[in-house]
Amino acid sequence: LEALGRSSEVFQWRPFGANTNDMVMTINVLVRAAAQLQQQQTGALIVIECNTGLQEYADRGVILDARLSVPLLLNIFFLNSPLHDLAVIIRGGRILAANAVLPLSENVVGTPRYGSRHRAALGVSEQSDAIALVVSEESGSISVATNGRMVRHLSETRLRKLLAELLNVTLEEPT
């Protein structure tokens, strides 16, 4: 079943074989957008497609195929905008789709009370190798879900380092 969800080799973004500069740019854009959404206490769910294709979920949303940028992410997640409630899917430094419905995790026993964004982040990370970035609407806290686990309360620095580690990218230290 997993093979059915895989994208074609031509369009599939593979973090470990992708251009490092593009991956660094993607990380920087996501960190800046998450920081601004956190300041505004605006909820967001951004999913980075890795090797397991997410086309099935993208097809249920609104296909954008747009260049990834901070202003576009802020506009998508602007409160009461038509696309703000569900997930954005990133593929290869581009926003593949917005308003995408993701599976909700049922594996939340013994964890803090998660809202639907966090449960969807966990759900997609349980069913694929995707990396899900969540900004909580209630607390403004930034979290990342991968492999069915959630890392919470991330600062910009910790988020940047975690994304670089998960995507196997070496970031230059600021001088």
Side-chain angles (χ1 to χ4, degrees):
L1 289 175
E2 182 181 333
L4 291 175
R6 291 190 186 275
S7 302
S8 72
E9 290 294 322
V10 174
F11 298 109
Q12 188 172 15
W13 184 53
R14 297 187 179 275
F16 303 106
N19 180 319
T20 301
N21 290 335
D22 290 344
M23 291 174 54
V24 169
M25 184 275 308
T26 296
I27 291 168
N28 289 334
V29 167
L30 293 176
V31 170
R32 285 195 318 268
Q36 289 185 37
L37 290 162
Q38 179 183 41
Q39 287 176 342
Q40 300 167 2
Q41 213 159 326
T42 300
L45 174 53
I46 302 168
V47 180
I48 303 166
E49 179 183 72
C50 292
N51 290 317
T52 304
L54 301 176
Q55 191 67 44
E56 167 190 357
Y57 304 118
D59 287 342
R60 291 188 222 154
V62 176
I63 301 294
L64 297 179
D65 189 29
R67 189 174 66 81
L68 179 63
S69 69
V70 173
L72 182 53
L73 287 171
L74 295 178
N75 275 301
I76 289 170
F77 290 112
F78 187 77
L79 189 60
N80 296 325
S81 73
L83 303 178
H84 95 281
D85 246 350
L86 301 171
V88 162
I89 298 174
I90 306 295
R91 176 188 287 163
R94 297 185 66 78
I95 298 175
L96 172 62
N99 207 33
V101 177
L102 301 176
L104 298 180
S105 176
E106 296 298 329
N107 190 16
V108 291
V109 176
T111 59
R113 186 181 157 271
Y114 286 134
S116 58
R117 278 190 186 92
H118 290 83
R119 288 184 57 210
L122 282 171
V124 74
S125 78
E126 290 167 352
Q127 296 186 19
S128 72
D129 63 349
I131 301 163
L133 168 62
V134 183
V135 180
S136 171
E137 191 169 325
E138 290 181 16
S139 68
S141 176
I142 298 173
S143 304
V144 169
T146 184
N147 295 321
R149 302 189 77 147
M150 184 80 67
V151 179
R152 303 180 65 204
H153 307 294
L154 294 167
S155 66
E156 286 180 61
T157 303
R158 286 184 60 211
L159 176 60
R160 181 175 276 105
K161 286 180 182 177
L162 179 59
L163 289 176
E165 179 183 313
L166 292 170
L167 295 170
N168 197 27
V169 174
T170 302
L171 297 175
E172 293 180 17
E173 294 298 318
T175 55

